Structures are given as C-alpha cells and as structure tokens.
Amino acid sequence: MSLKNPLNADKFYETERLIIRPMSLEDREFIFDLYNRPKFIEFIGNRGINTVADAENYIRNKFLPQFERLGFGNYLILTKDQNEKIGGVGIFEREGLDIVDIGFSFLDEFEGKGYAYEAASKVKSIGMDDFGLSKISAITSKNNFSSQKLIEKLGLKFQKYVTLPNEDEELMYYETE
C-alpha cells in the first residue's frame, strides 16, 4: 500500500458543525470517560482503561505511534459552537485486517444528531484524498445496528464475517468498493 504522507498529524479539519483534530495526551479525561461508557464496552470492548493515567498511556502507546508512522489515526471530534468533545473517529491499522479500518465512537448524548456521519465522512475523505488510501474497511458487531447503518451510509459494503486475533466475537466486515 503506497501512502502519501504530507506529515499533517497536527492539522485540524472542519466540517459544517465540527472540528476534527488528532487525539492528544490532553484528551485523556475524555478517552477515560468515552471508553468506560456501557455502549462502548458492549459494542467495541473493554480496553482496560481503569484510570485517567491508563487513558493517557493508551493515547501515548496506541494513537500517537500510528500518527507518527502514517500521518493519520484517531481524531477527536469537537462541536464548533460549544467546543465540546463529543467523540472520536479514526482510521486504524488493526491486527488481523489487511486494509485499514475506520472506526467511531461518540458520547451517548451526541448520538442521533448526524455528527458521526459528518465526522466519519470527513475522516474517510482525509484517508483517501490526503493519504492516498485506495480502500478502507470497517468492522462492527452483529447487534450494533446503528454502526452498520452508518458504515453502509459511508459507502462500504458488507463482505464477510471475521474474527480478529485474540478475540472470540465474530464481526461483520465491510469494505469500500
């Protein structure tokens, strides 16, 4: 996979209602909150983030190295009007997948407002237009119907069921065409 890398890991992006910027260590409290929400644990999994320090280490060890290596990764989503941290959307290298995958998670109180589609569409275009990705995949659990709907709205098509290394759950796998 050949990637353009304009080294814009510090770049901020905007949509009509949102600011999108790379996750940073200052987002540790937000990640601690988001990753411990019941829906996050149910649909994405328990990442073992039991303290704010764990969240900071997760950002340092999982998010930042990918930005340094590839120039893209997990982005924080903020509202323009209130500058509130509402979610995360990223393009991730994931063990067990040959194609980078787009993933998203939002605080419950910001679901159903179109923010996830607005942010994920922008992040998908960042990956494809700015970094030259030719394909993007997505995975989701079989019972996460809102995620499935969003993935399909982003133009990805269901391909098959997959199980990631060291995981038990069979996931739905989607890909751009």
Side-chain angles (χ1 to χ4, degrees):
M1 160 169 64
S2 80
L3 299 176
K4 294 183 261 173
N5 189 349
L7 294 173
N8 61 355
D10 296 327
K11 187 169 181 178
F12 286 57
Y13 299 91
E14 290 187 34
T15 65
E16 182 183 339
R17 302 179 295 162
L18 304 170
I19 297 168
I20 299 169
R21 68 159 172 79
M23 283 285 178
S24 70
L25 295 177
E26 73 182 47
D27 302 316
R28 60 190 167 271
E29 291 91 358
F30 176 76
I31 290 296
F32 174 73
D33 178 17
L34 179 63
Y35 281 38
N36 282 292
R37 296 277 178 122
K39 274 189 179 176
F40 186 97
I41 292 169
E42 176 186 358
F43 291 129
I44 298 173
N46 185 338
R47 297 294 185 245
I49 297 176
N50 301 312
T51 65
V52 173
D54 289 344
E56 183 174 326
N57 287 330
Y58 196 86
I59 294 166
R60 181 179 285 112
N61 298 322
K62 297 277 188 188
F63 298 158
L64 299 184
Q66 184 179 310
F67 269 114
E68 289 168 16
R69 200 170 60 256
L70 301 176
F72 60 85
N74 198 14
Y75 295 88
L76 180 76
I77 311 303
L78 303 106
T79 60
K80 277 186 181 177
D81 60 352
Q82 301 287 316
N83 204 38
E84 286 182 280
K85 296 178 180 184
I86 65 170
V89 177
I91 299 176
F92 305 97
E93 283 188 319
R94 216 176 285 280
E95 188 181 356
L97 298 181
D98 294 331
I99 298 171
V100 292
D101 100 288
I102 191 166
F104 39 83
S105 54
F106 283 78
L107 298 175
D108 304 351
E109 55 268 34
F110 295 99
E111 290 179 1
K113 301 178 187 310
Y115 290 134
Y117 177 72
E118 189 174 330
S121 294
K122 182 64 176 179
V123 170
K124 179 183 170 204
S125 77
I126 291 166
M128 298 187 103
D129 300 339
D130 294 3
F131 291 94
L133 298 174
S134 58
K135 286 189 175 228
I136 291 178
S137 69
I139 51 175
T140 189
S141 61
K142 296 175 187 174
N143 61 344
N144 192 344
F145 302 112
S146 60
S147 181
Q148 293 166 28
K149 190 171 152 185
L150 175 56
I151 290 167
E152 290 169 3
K153 191 173 179 181
L154 290 170
L156 283 76
K157 304 285 184 242
F158 174 76
Q159 302 292 318
K160 60 187 175 183
Y161 293 101
V162 298
T163 304
L164 298 179
N166 306 312
E167 299 286 335
D168 297 326
E169 184 182 8
E170 189 176 62
L171 301 170
M172 298 176 74
Y173 175 84
Y174 295 77
E175 210 174 270
T176 53
E177 295 192 297

